[in-house]
Amino acid sequence: MGHRRWLLSNHEFRRQAKAFDNTIEHDQALKSLNGDKILQLVESIEHEWGKSKTKKRKRIDNDERVWWKKKSIFYNLDYWKYLLVRHQLDVMRIEKNVCESIYGTLLHILGKTKDGLKSRKDLVSIKVPYGYSSNIKNLVSMKDFKLQGLKSHDCHVLMQQLLLIALRCVLSKHVKDAIIRFCFFFNSLCATVVDVSVLDKLETDIVVTLCLLKKCFPPSFFDIMVHLTVHLVNKVRLCGPVYLRWMYPFERYTKTLKGYVRNRNCPEGCIAERYIAEEAVEFYVEYMSNMYTVGLSAGHVQKLSIDKQLSDTLRWILQDPLPFVDKQPSYDINGFHFVTHDLESNRVTQNSGVTLVAKAMHVATSKDKNPITCDTTFYGVIDEIWVVDYHLLKIPVLKCDWVQNRGGVLKDEHGSILVDLNRRV
């Protein structure tokens, strides 16, 4: 693919002939053609629309009108803008194909080796929050040593999060680092906030990453989908953040609509009737202020003893409310679904983890008399969920077990945060 031509002219990879294809790279990257030049290249091409000459003339006329409409666009838009808006250089599809190429190549190389078995066992044991992705355990086959049935969003999660975990303790360091750099590229590209000033560095880094992968992977790995990652940063420059053009929300809602079907002979009627009924119920629930939506899990009432060890703040709050609290095994707060640690022990999802950024004092040593106060991130798991009744309102309170920041929270060489839940306060 000649990825070294996108590097700077004095980059060391250009002179490393033996590490690549035994040639020194002197060529420069090709410049993108504008709309006028593209039109000059394609206007002499003759094309007859339709599968056969016996097609109706009306269909041919319509196709010709569409074709001339497309040709007129070239006069008004830059070629790349037209290409990116019309064909989208779909990041979702490119990421899916790249992910399949990576894990397909790794599984073929590792096979039944110790590293291959360890990486698959790591994927089987992973728990993710509810609704985050499919159950990865069902996608990993320990018998056939394959990943099967992956959807586009599964590849998205695998590429941006799970591969970083599965490859931490397998493969050689230079191979692992090259793949993790590739994962970090998609992570930065798909961020909700894109810093325009770092796009040039991101574009340079992906070329270096592809060159590092060439030292590790066979030539068959570098198909057109892997090459298209070079142009994805330019798409962000022209079209803005990637997440605004995801197809995932539409695909999820399509699944919701399919779930409305009860009579397969009339699927459209089922969807319309169920949708209207759901809209009406939600309207009535919001209109009647004292009503609560259906879906809260059943809990039990427990009398709260004031002698129980509580913080001063919580004691002050508990002076006025009712002396009974509603203990819930799960609760929805601000759009997030939380469950207790005991409840999720038998589940395939993990929704008991919490983080909190708070002010804390830090000292260099035990004899340091000048402590510094700064923001610190704390990690923990939910032990109990209380719903405290203040007569006019109810406040959920989470009782958490927090992980020790010293020894329990570490950051590895790639920037990933590792939390040891066994080291709780």
Side-chain angles (χ1 to χ4, degrees):
M1 293 289 183
H3 292 123
R4 286 186 294 167
R5 67 179 63 182
W6 272 271
L7 296 171
L8 297 177
S9 57
N10 59 349
H11 199 279
E12 59 178 350
F13 282 173
R14 285 180 171 269
R15 300 184 296 272
Q16 294 180 1
K18 190 174 182 180
F20 295 94
D21 55 356
N22 290 323
T23 60
I24 299 177
E25 186 64 70
H26 298 288
D27 296 336
Q28 298 298 322
L30 300 176
K31 294 183 179 180
S32 302
L33 302 178
N34 57 27
D36 293 334
K37 292 183 178 180
I38 292 295
L39 182 60
Q40 294 176 4
L41 294 175
V42 301
E43 64 180 353
S44 60
I45 298 177
E46 296 182 0
H47 182 74
E48 184 177 352
W49 295 95
K51 295 183 179 179
S52 63
K53 295 182 179 180
T54 59
K55 266 192 170 266
K56 293 182 180 180
R57 184 64 193 176
K58 183 177 180 181
R59 174 65 181 276
I60 297 176
D61 291 341
N62 290 335
D63 289 335
E64 287 179 353
R65 280 196 294 270
V66 173
W67 167 244
W68 283 108
K69 184 178 180 181
K70 288 182 180 180
K71 287 177 69 175
S72 65
I73 292 177
F74 283 115
Y75 289 106
N76 302 322
L77 293 176
D78 181 81
Y79 166 67
W80 271 106
K81 289 183 179 180
Y82 170 77
L83 179 64
L84 294 172
V85 174
R86 178 65 180 87
H87 298 286
Q88 283 290 304
L89 274 181
D90 193 353
V91 178
M92 185 176 72
R93 188 175 303 172
I94 293 174
E95 187 180 39
K96 181 178 185 295
N97 283 271
V98 169
C99 181
E100 290 176 345
S101 299
I102 289 178
Y103 75 70
T105 304
L106 291 178
L107 291 178
H108 178 72
I109 294 175
L110 297 177
K112 299 182 181 180
T113 61
K114 182 178 179 181
D115 286 346
L117 291 173
K118 179 172 178 54
S119 62
R120 279 186 286 274
K121 288 180 179 178
D122 288 342
L123 288 176
V124 168
S125 61
I126 285 177
K127 282 187 176 184
V128 297
Y130 175 77
Y132 184 77
S133 69
S134 301
N135 185 7
I136 301 298
K137 182 178 181 180
N138 295 334
L139 306 177
V140 181
S141 175
M142 299 298 295
K143 181 179 180 180
D144 301 330
F145 303 101
K146 294 180 180 179
L147 294 176
Q148 53 192 10
L150 270 71
K151 305 296 183 183
S152 297
H153 191 263
D154 297 326
C155 292
H156 173 70
V157 175
L158 191 67
M159 190 70 186
Q160 299 203 16
Q161 301 293 335
L162 303 186
L163 273 182
L164 304 175
I165 302 173
L167 300 180
R168 284 184 63 249
C169 301
V170 301
L171 301 174
S172 302
K173 186 177 185 302
H174 67 286
V175 180
K176 178 176 58 179
D177 290 347
I179 298 175
I180 291 178
R181 281 176 62 106
F182 214 2
C183 296
F184 281 162
F185 167 75
F186 280 102
N187 228 323
S188 302
L189 191 75
C190 302
T192 54
V193 178
V194 178
D195 188 355
V196 180
S197 61
V198 301
L199 290 181
D200 291 338
K201 182 179 183 303
L202 191 63
E203 194 169 27
T204 304
D205 288 345
I206 183 57
V207 179
V208 175
T209 301
L210 290 175
C211 293
L212 291 174
L213 287 172
K214 282 191 173 183
K215 296 183 177 182
C216 312
F217 284 79
S220 58
F221 173 80
F222 298 92
D223 55 12
I224 188 62
M225 285 297 180
V226 176
H227 170 71
L228 284 177
T229 55
V230 177
H231 305 289
L232 292 181
V233 178
N234 194 35
K235 175 185 177 179
V236 175
R237 290 195 184 97
L238 297 176
C239 300
V242 174
Y243 79 96
L244 296 175
R245 297 179 301 279
W246 283 136
M247 286 298 295
Y248 301 129
F250 304 99
E251 291 180 350
R252 292 193 191 100
Y253 194 62
T254 301
K255 182 180 184 299
T256 302
L257 294 178
K258 289 181 179 178
Y260 291 167
V261 178
R262 292 295 179 267
N263 185 355
R264 296 185 180 275
N265 292 328
C266 304
E268 297 89 350
C270 293
I271 293 174
E273 185 176 354
R274 177 74 178 274
Y275 182 84
I276 294 173
E278 188 175 282
E279 287 286 312
V281 171
E282 291 180 357
F283 172 77
Y284 287 131
V285 169
E286 293 180 2
Y287 182 75
M288 303 177 70
S289 59
N290 294 328
M291 295 290 293
Y292 294 94
T293 56
V294 178
L296 291 178
S297 59
H300 63 277
V301 177
Q302 173 181 328
K303 186 173 182 178
L304 183 62
S305 174
I306 302 300
D307 297 330
K308 192 172 183 179
Q309 294 182 355
L310 302 173
S311 64
D312 293 337
T313 303
L314 194 55
R315 283 179 179 274
W316 180 82
I317 294 176
L318 291 176
Q319 293 300 320
D320 291 332
L322 296 177
F324 299 94
V325 293
D326 185 11
K327 293 185 63 175
Q328 294 285 345
S330 63
Y331 204 84
D332 291 338
I333 307 173
N334 298 330
F336 295 95
H337 181 69
F338 293 101
V339 301
T340 60
H341 183 64
D342 293 337
L343 180 62
E344 73 174 13
S345 59
N346 297 324
R347 293 187 174 185
V348 297
T349 56
Q350 180 181 5
N351 285 77
S352 65
V354 290
T355 60
L356 175 67
V357 179
K359 296 288 185 180
M361 288 193 301
H362 294 264
V363 293
T365 62
S366 59
K367 299 181 180 180
D368 188 2
K369 297 182 179 179
N370 298 314
I372 299 175
T373 303
C374 59
D375 291 336
T376 305
T377 304
F378 296 91
Y379 301 89
V381 293
I382 300 175
D383 186 28
E384 295 181 6
I385 301 176
W386 297 350
V387 182
V388 184
D389 192 349
Y390 277 84
H391 302 283
L392 297 179
L393 73 158
K394 294 183 179 181
I395 299 178
V397 179
L398 306 181
K399 181 184 176 184
C400 305
D401 293 334
W402 299 100
V403 177
Q404 299 176 358
N405 276 354
R406 288 191 176 183
V409 180
L410 300 174
K411 182 179 288 188
D412 64 6
E413 57 183 343
H414 302 289
S416 300
I417 298 176
L418 310 178
V419 180
D420 186 1
L421 296 180
N422 295 322
R423 296 199 172 194
R424 285 181 273 179
V425 178

